Amino acid sequence: MSDAAPRPIDRRLFAGFLRQHRGAAVAVAGWSLLEAVPALASGLLVAAALDRGFLAGRPAEGFFWIGLLGAAMVFRALMTRTLTPWLGRLVEPLRDELVTAVAAGAVHRAAAGARDAAGAGVARLTVQVETVRALVSALLRSARQLGVSLLMAFVGLAALSAPVAAVTLPPVLLTLLLCAPRLRVLARRQRRQLRAEESLTAAAGETFDGIRDVVACGARDGVADDLSARITDHRDAARAVARAASANTLLVSLGSHLPLLVLLLAAPRLLDRGALSVGELLGATSYLISGVAPALRSLVAVLGSWGVQLATVLRQLSRSTTRRPRGPAEGQGPAAAPRTPRSPDLSLVNVGYAYGPGAAPVIDRLSLDIPAGSHLTVVGPSGAGKSTLTTLLAGLAAPDNGRLTLGGVPVTEVDRAWLHRAVALIPQEAYVFTGTVRDNLRYLRPQAKDADLLASATAVGARALVDRLGGLDAPVGLDGPPLSSGERQLVALARAHVSPASVVLLDEACCHLDPAAEERAERAFAARGTTLVVVAHRISSALRAPRVLVLDGERTAIGAHAQLLDESPLYADLVGHWVAAGTP
C-alpha cells in the first residue's frame, strides 16, 4: 500500500485528470465546435435566404440557402456521431479514478484510525461514484452542447446584426447573474439531502445487520422511531431541493423570453432607421427562438440539477477521501509533524479503546512495556480485546485515551511510511494475492533476492509448499491452485519473515497449522531478533514465551507461565481447558 495520502476529489483531481487525458479533451473541444456550426450559421442562412433570395425575387437562391441550412443539420449529426466515442474516453477513466480515490481514502482512513458509519463507505463507492459517472456523462452530452450552441448563437447574432446583439445580450447576462445565487442555495440543499441519505443508509444497514439483537432486546419501537425520523429528514431535504429547483426553473423561463421581447420592442425603430433588414430580423428571431432561448433554459436547468448535484456529490466524496488520522481532539491545535522512532520499543500507559461513542471499552487502562526483541504471548477469552490490542500496536487505530508510544514517539505522530516498514501484522485469515509465489513473498520487501525468499520460506516451514507449487515462478491466487487455510498462513508468515519489519504481530496467524509447524514459525521470528507478539491459539505458544499477557478487563495480568498459574484464575482455567482438550 502506498504511504501517500489519497488526493481529495476536487478541482485538482479533475485538473490532473484532464492533463492526463489531454488528447481526448482537446478532441472533444474541437469536435464540439464543429458540432455547433448549425447554431452559428442558422440565422445567417435564414437572413440570406430572405434578403438575397425570396424577398429579392430569386426563389432559387433562397432555396439554395435553405438547403445549406439542411446540410448543416446533417453535418451536425455526423459530428455528434464522431464526438460520442471521445466522450466515453473521458467518462469511463474518470469513473476508475474516482473508485481508486474513494477506495484508497477508505483504506487510509481505516489505517489512520478513522471510523466511518456502517454503510456510508458502501454508499460512496457505489451510489455516489456511479452518480458522478452518470452526471459527468450527461453534462458532457448536454451542458457542453448547450453551452457551445449558446455561445455560437450569440457569435452568429453579432455577425448578423451588432445592434440586435447589443440589445439582446444584457437580458441573457442578467438571467445568468440572477440564477447564480439560486444555484448556491440549491447546492446547500443538495448537500443536506446527501447527508440525510448517508445517515439513513448507515442507520438502516446497522439495523438490518443486528435485527435479531434488536428484537431480542425489545428495542423495536426505539429503532423504528429512529429510522422514521431519518426517513422524514431525508424526505424534507428532498422537498427542499425540489422547491429550490422549481423556483430556479421559473426564473430561467421568464428570463429566456426577455431577449425576444426586447427584440420585438426594438425592431420597428431598427427597421425604420435601416439598421435592420427584414431578413436580418427573421434571422435574429431564429437565433433567439431556436438557439438562445432553448439553450439558455436547458443549460441553466441542467446546471441547476445535474451540475449542482455533481458538485454536491464531489464535495461529499472529497470529505471521505482526505486522510484524517485520529490524533489530538478538535480544538487542541494541529497534529504534530510525523516523527521517526529511534527504536521499536512499545509502551502502553493507561490505554483505553472502544468501538464507538458510548460503547464499553474493549481495552481499559492497560499499561504494558514491550522492549525491542522481546517475545510476548497474549491470551484471554473471546472478546477480551486480543485482536484489538494488535490493531493498536500496529498503528491501525489510535487509543481513545492513555498513551501508546513506539520508540518513545506517540503512535499518532509516527511517520506512516516508517511504521508500515517496521511493523507487520498477520491476521488469522491470511491473504494470498493473485500473481506468483515470488510476488507474494517479496510484497513487503520488493528488492528481496530469491535466495532471501527461499531462506525465509525454509525458516518458517513453507519451503515444501513452495517446491510443491513449482517454485517462486509458480502462480497462486486466482491463477493458481487452491490453497488451504494453513498453506495461506505459511505464505503470509514467509512474507512477514523476509520483510524488514522489526515488530511482528501474529494474531492467531498459525491457528490452521499443526503444533510443530506453529512452533517452528514462532521460533523463526524469535531467532531473527524480532519483537514478537503472539495471540495464542494453543497453550504451547504461552509456554514458549518469557512473558504472557492475560487480557481480562480489570483483572488483566502479566507474567511468566508459572507465575500466572498462581496469580490469574482465568489463566489457570485457560490452561486447564487447553490441557483437557489434549493440546500439546
Side-chain angles (χ1 to χ4, degrees):
M1 183 190 305
S2 172
D3 297 321
R7 296 170 294 173
I9 299 175
D10 55 12
R11 294 185 184 91
R12 287 173 294 174
L13 184 144
F14 279 101
F17 176 81
L18 290 176
R19 285 194 298 270
Q20 185 179 356
H21 299 83
R22 185 182 296 107
V26 171
V28 167
W31 290 115
S32 297
L33 292 175
L34 293 175
E35 185 187 32
V37 166
L40 172 65
S42 60
L44 293 169
L45 294 175
V46 168
L50 288 170
D51 289 337
R52 301 181 186 182
F54 300 116
L55 294 179
R58 295 191 291 270
E61 185 173 348
F63 282 116
F64 169 75
W65 294 111
I66 296 298
L68 284 181
L69 181 58
M73 296 300 178
V74 175
F75 178 79
R76 175 179 178 172
L78 293 175
M79 294 302 99
T80 301
R81 178 180 179 182
T82 305
L83 174 62
T84 300
W86 288 101
L87 297 178
R89 296 183 188 183
L90 288 177
V91 173
E92 296 308 321
L94 176 61
R95 176 190 178 277
D96 296 340
E97 290 251 353
L98 290 173
V99 169
T100 300
V102 172
V107 172
H108 276 272
R109 284 168 57 80
R115 305 174 195 171
D116 283 334
V122 175
R124 297 186 194 108
L125 195 57
T126 55
V127 177
Q128 293 178 15
V129 168
E130 284 303 315
T131 297
V132 170
R133 188 195 69 82
L135 290 174
V136 170
S137 176
L139 286 170
L140 284 176
R141 291 195 312 270
S142 301
R144 170 200 55 80
Q145 185 182 68
L146 293 169
V148 175
S149 297
L150 181 62
L151 176 63
M152 288 301 189
F154 266 107
V155 171
L157 187 59
L160 178 67
S161 174
V164 171
V167 298
T168 55
L169 181 58
V172 175
L173 294 178
L174 178 62
T175 300
L176 294 175
L177 289 174
L178 292 176
C179 285
R182 299 295 310 168
L183 292 179
R184 287 195 291 269
V185 172
L186 188 58
R188 287 197 298 270
R189 296 185 180 182
Q190 285 271 15
R191 288 194 291 272
R192 178 194 166 194
Q193 181 185 5
L194 206 57
R195 288 193 296 269
E197 177 185 286
E198 282 194 1
S199 175
L200 177 58
T201 302
E206 291 175 348
T207 299
F208 295 147
D209 288 343
I211 191 66
R212 289 190 296 180
D213 294 332
V214 171
V215 175
C217 296
R220 289 175 296 180
D221 293 340
V223 170
D225 290 342
D226 178 65
L227 286 179
S228 297
R230 294 176 191 268
I231 293 172
T232 300
D233 183 53
H234 185 267
R235 180 203 64 192
D236 293 342
R239 287 179 175 177
V241 169
R243 287 194 297 269
S246 299
N248 208 39
T249 301
L250 178 61
L251 176 62
V252 174
S253 297
L254 293 175
S256 63
H257 290 90
L258 282 178
L260 181 59
L261 178 61
V262 170
L263 175 61
L264 294 178
L265 292 174
R269 180 174 298 180
L270 294 174
L271 288 171
D272 291 342
R273 293 167 51 188
L276 189 69
S277 68
V278 174
E280 290 173 342
L281 175 60
L282 291 179
T285 303
S286 174
Y287 275 127
L288 295 177
I289 293 178
S290 62
V292 174
L296 178 62
R297 285 196 302 268
S298 300
L299 178 62
V300 176
V302 166
L303 293 178
S305 57
W306 296 344
V308 169
Q309 188 178 356
L310 176 61
T312 302
V313 176
L314 286 175
R315 180 168 177 173
Q316 192 75 5
L317 286 176
S318 182
R319 293 170 50 202
S320 66
T321 56
T322 304
R323 183 173 164 186
R324 296 165 56 192
R326 284 179 59 200
E330 298 219 2
Q332 293 183 357
R339 298 162 58 187
T340 300
R342 290 173 295 181
S343 70
D345 296 295
L346 288 160
S347 176
L348 297 85
V349 179
N350 294 324
V351 165
Y353 186 85
Y355 287 100
V362 180
I363 303 291
D364 189 18
R365 297 191 299 276
L366 175 63
S367 295
L368 173 67
D369 288 322
I370 308 176
S374 62
H375 181 180
L376 174 72
T377 292
V378 183
V379 300
S382 178
K386 302 185 296 296
S387 294
T388 302
L389 176 60
T390 60
T391 300
L392 293 172
L393 294 177
L396 298 180
D400 291 324
N401 47 64
R403 181 178 175 84
L404 170 58
T405 60
L406 185 57
V409 179
V411 70
T412 54
E413 300 177 15
V414 174
D415 179 75
R416 307 305 291 185
W418 186 92
L419 184 68
H420 294 163
R421 291 191 300 270
V423 181
L425 169 62
I426 307 178
Q428 180 176 348
E429 296 300 325
Y431 293 99
V432 173
F433 309 107
T434 297
T436 65
V437 174
R438 180 184 291 102
D439 295 334
N440 273 269
L441 296 187
R442 68 179 184 185
Y443 179 74
L444 299 177
R445 186 183 164 193
Q447 293 78 28
K449 298 179 181 180
D450 287 356
D452 297 326
L453 303 181
L454 293 175
S456 290
T458 301
V460 301
R463 182 61 183 270
L465 171 63
V466 173
D467 293 339
R468 182 179 66 79
L469 291 174
L472 295 176
D473 292 318
V476 290
L478 295 178
D479 297 331
L483 299 180
S484 67
S485 297
E487 289 171 334
R488 289 198 300 271
Q489 287 187 334
L490 286 174
V491 172
L493 290 166
R495 178 194 301 141
H497 190 275
V498 81
S499 76
S502 52
V503 177
V504 174
L505 311 171
L506 303 183
D507 185 6
E508 297 198 19
C510 303
C511 64
H512 298 296
L513 302 179
D514 59 60
E518 179 183 56
E519 178 179 1
R520 180 172 183 173
E522 290 182 10
R523 292 193 183 282
F525 283 106
R528 72 193 284 264
T530 301
T531 300
L532 183 62
V533 178
V534 180
V535 174
H537 177 66
R538 300 181 177 93
I539 184 59
S540 52
S541 291
L543 293 174
R544 281 190 293 272
R547 289 195 308 162
V548 179
L549 171 66
V550 184
L551 282 178
D552 187 23
E554 295 182 353
R555 295 179 296 171
T556 293
I558 186 169
H561 169 73
Q563 174 188 354
L564 291 175
L565 284 176
D566 295 331
E567 297 179 359
S568 174
L570 173 61
Y571 185 73
D573 289 343
L574 289 173
V575 171
H577 172 75
W578 275 324
V579 173
T583 303

